[in-house]
Amino acid sequence: ADVDLSRVEALLEERAQLRGARDYGGADAVRDELNSMGVTIHDKDGVWFVDARRLAGSRDDFGGGGRSVGGYRRDPSDTADVDVSRVEELLEERAGLRASRDYEGADAVRDDLAKMGVAVYDREQTWVVDQRYGGGGGDRTRDFGPTGHDYKYVGLPEVGASQLLAINGIIAARLEAKLDRKFGEADSLLSQLGGMGVSLRDREKTWTCRPPKDFGPLGHDYERAADDDTPFDEATLAKINELLAQRLQAKLTRAFDEADGCMDELQAIGVFVNDKLRGWRADGGAFPTHARIEGDGDAAWPYADEAVLALLAERSIAKRDADYETADAISTKLRDEMCVALDDKRGTWRAVTLSGGHFRVGPRVESGLADKVASILERREPLRLAGDYDAADALQDELQELGITVDSRLRTWRLGAAPTRSGGRGGGRSGSSGRGRGRRGRGGESGSWRQR
């Protein structure tokens, strides 16, 4: 089908940047505009195509579900009585408001649709008359019976009375929050349900619950550090285990204030908890945080492992005490003075070779290329610090011609492009390949989309 290809690509690029910036409302508005052009996009596959059925707005082509209005169509199974022309008029108005980034106005129109009993599903781009909300006009009714909601429990195991009461209360509160358009609150309640092992299916109006994990007689899975011999009487030890169990359950149900209260009590006793290692100790010592792995700088590295481990222990205690300035200073000292690179996510450290204050990450490179990169970085860094950005950028161009990506913020370089985050921006701005001033040109095609 005929379509303005350059306009489609420009909109795809804009949407990719909005998604990368977490502006999902803006991204949805761009998607609406693409839909109005007859363009269908599949985010998962990264493809787009012109849907002649959407372009024509034919009732039959959409399976009897009505013509597409404002990018939306009526659910084919919905036959409830409603003023369709008024619904379509509001949908068109809402689409226009979203396209112009007037999200407050668009939300007000959606509220008007809800008062008519119309539910709009943006992800599926459909609308339906929902009798539960008083379809056909008037105010939405909120009488969902004794449970306060209309979700049905399906599957096993059998849920105890007290647990069922708590779950029903949270589901009801979430439904009320959604009706009041308090979606942040609704999402928080959904996360709390997830921590309790509860999964909801909104379209089917059902919920399931997985069996709770058995943490054994102590009620938690934290182990005391083997080298901690701090003496405790039985009552204090029992209190520690009780607080650990209580804190764990609070975290699972996302009752973070309660969890923080338990942590305060544990710290008052002198207990330090390491969630990553699932351990605790009360002797003031630090947990081992990083293990050494092979690094580029091993051959000429002049320090003893014990010196690194001692600094890592200091850093761990600083982080425990929320003294992040000290922790960061230790990280900088390890890198700049001892040529040690930390990977907190993997819990590793390695000796590296610094070139212009940068070290290699990612795939290994042959020695000849590594020497060229080191020479350029050593010349580039003083230019960048002196503010001679044009000269620094010229050297950056040399690195790019060699296939090297530099991250000036993280002080790293790698062969090839830096890995992109999921839902990345495609051709958007990024600091990861930082030129002299952290600049970067646009790249990629239409936010990494391809036409099908």
Side-chain angles (χ1 to χ4, degrees):
D2 292 334
V3 69
D4 185 343
L5 185 61
S6 61
R7 178 59 178 161
V8 170
E9 290 181 341
L11 288 171
L12 287 171
E13 179 74 22
E14 180 183 358
R15 181 171 180 266
Q17 292 181 8
L18 290 167
R19 283 161 60 89
R22 305 296 192 268
D23 183 359
Y24 300 116
D28 287 347
V30 174
R31 182 190 62 192
D32 290 344
E33 186 172 349
L34 285 163
N35 288 337
S36 70
M37 298 170 63
V39 173
T40 295
I41 55 180
H42 287 172
D43 287 310
K44 183 177 181 181
D45 301 319
V47 299
W48 68 270
F49 58 91
V50 180
D51 190 337
R53 300 172 305 164
R54 184 185 294 277
L55 196 60
S58 164
R59 177 184 180 92
D60 292 336
D61 284 342
F62 279 109
R67 66 192 183 93
S68 175
V69 178
Y72 291 76
R73 61 186 177 87
R74 188 173 187 178
D75 190 303
S77 64
D78 178 22
T79 59
D81 184 25
V82 70
D83 186 345
V84 175
S85 62
R86 178 58 179 161
V87 171
E88 292 179 344
E89 178 184 335
L90 290 171
L91 287 171
E92 289 280 15
E93 180 183 354
R94 181 172 181 264
L97 291 167
R98 283 161 62 90
S100 63
R101 311 294 196 268
D102 183 359
Y103 303 119
E104 185 175 346
D107 286 346
V109 174
R110 185 165 184 168
D111 287 341
D112 289 339
L113 287 163
K115 291 176 181 177
M116 297 176 65
V118 172
V120 180
Y121 296 99
D122 289 317
R123 182 179 295 275
E124 296 85 356
Q125 296 228 277
T126 60
W127 65 272
V128 63
V129 178
D130 195 330
Q131 300 290 351
R132 295 172 299 118
Y133 300 156
D139 293 332
R140 292 172 292 177
T141 177
R142 301 193 180 189
D143 182 10
F144 293 105
T147 62
H149 63 81
D150 55 350
Y151 287 74
K152 180 181 179 181
Y153 177 62
V154 294
L156 296 173
E158 190 171 324
V159 179
S162 59
Q163 184 183 12
L164 182 62
L165 182 64
I167 292 172
N168 279 332
I170 298 173
I171 294 176
R174 176 177 178 266
L175 178 58
E176 190 71 16
K178 290 183 67 178
L179 290 173
D180 288 337
R181 302 188 60 76
K182 298 177 181 177
F183 298 119
E185 179 181 338
D187 288 345
S188 177
L189 291 168
L190 182 62
S191 297
Q192 186 174 345
L193 287 166
M196 299 170 70
V198 175
S199 297
L200 298 184
R201 292 183 178 272
D202 288 319
R203 294 300 294 271
E204 292 84 357
K205 311 302 292 183
T206 61
W207 65 275
T208 58
C209 184
R210 64 178 181 268
K213 182 177 179 180
D214 183 6
F215 290 105
L218 295 179
H220 64 81
D221 56 351
Y222 289 79
E223 292 187 6
R224 185 175 184 180
D227 58 342
D228 176 15
D229 56 3
T230 305
F232 286 117
D233 56 42
E234 290 187 9
T236 303
L237 192 59
K239 181 62 176 178
I240 291 172
N241 283 317
E242 178 187 344
L243 288 169
L244 288 169
Q246 186 179 343
R247 177 175 177 269
L248 176 59
Q249 289 303 315
K251 290 184 66 179
L252 289 175
T253 57
R254 302 185 68 81
F256 297 120
D257 287 342
E258 180 182 348
D260 289 345
C262 293
M263 179 63 86
D264 289 341
E265 291 190 55
L266 286 164
Q267 290 178 343
I269 301 174
V271 172
F272 170 47
V273 179
N274 187 306
D275 289 312
K276 185 176 181 180
L277 298 177
R278 313 301 287 179
W280 68 274
R281 66 188 312 147
D283 59 354
F287 285 96
T289 57
H290 295 68
R292 183 175 184 177
I293 60 173
E294 183 181 1
D296 293 346
D298 286 342
W301 196 65
Y303 304 98
D305 288 12
E306 289 74 16
V308 175
L309 296 176
L311 286 172
L312 287 173
E314 289 182 29
R315 179 175 179 263
S316 176
I317 292 173
K319 292 179 71 174
R320 178 195 68 186
D321 296 337
D323 185 0
Y324 300 114
E325 183 176 352
T326 297
D328 289 343
I330 293 172
S331 298
T332 300
K333 178 178 180 179
L334 284 165
R335 183 192 66 204
D336 294 347
E337 297 181 18
M338 302 180 67
C339 299
V340 169
L342 304 180
D343 188 330
D344 288 326
K345 186 174 182 180
R346 293 181 173 86
T348 60
W349 68 272
R350 61 191 174 99
V352 296
T353 299
L354 291 181
S355 303
H358 294 67
F359 60 92
R360 180 194 61 80
V361 294
R364 291 185 176 276
V365 299
E366 55 93 13
S367 59
L369 177 57
D371 291 342
K372 289 181 181 178
V373 172
S375 175
I376 296 172
L377 287 172
E378 290 288 357
R379 286 181 285 142
R380 173 182 176 269
E381 186 64 10
L383 292 171
R384 194 179 71 86
L385 294 176
D388 190 350
Y389 299 121
D390 290 336
D393 282 350
L395 292 174
Q396 173 66 23
D397 290 339
E398 291 186 35
L399 289 167
Q400 290 181 340
E401 289 174 3
L402 294 173
I404 300 299
T405 300
V406 178
D407 190 321
S408 296
R409 182 178 64 84
L410 297 178
R411 315 290 288 167
T412 62
W413 67 269
R414 68 164 53 237
L415 177 63
T420 57
R421 295 174 296 181
S422 60
R425 309 176 196 186
R429 296 179 64 86
S430 170
S432 63
S433 67
R435 295 174 67 87
R437 282 165 283 188
R439 300 194 304 256
R440 176 176 178 167
R442 297 168 69 88
E445 294 185 9
S446 306
S448 300
W449 287 81
R450 66 186 188 278
Q451 186 176 4
R452 191 178 76 181

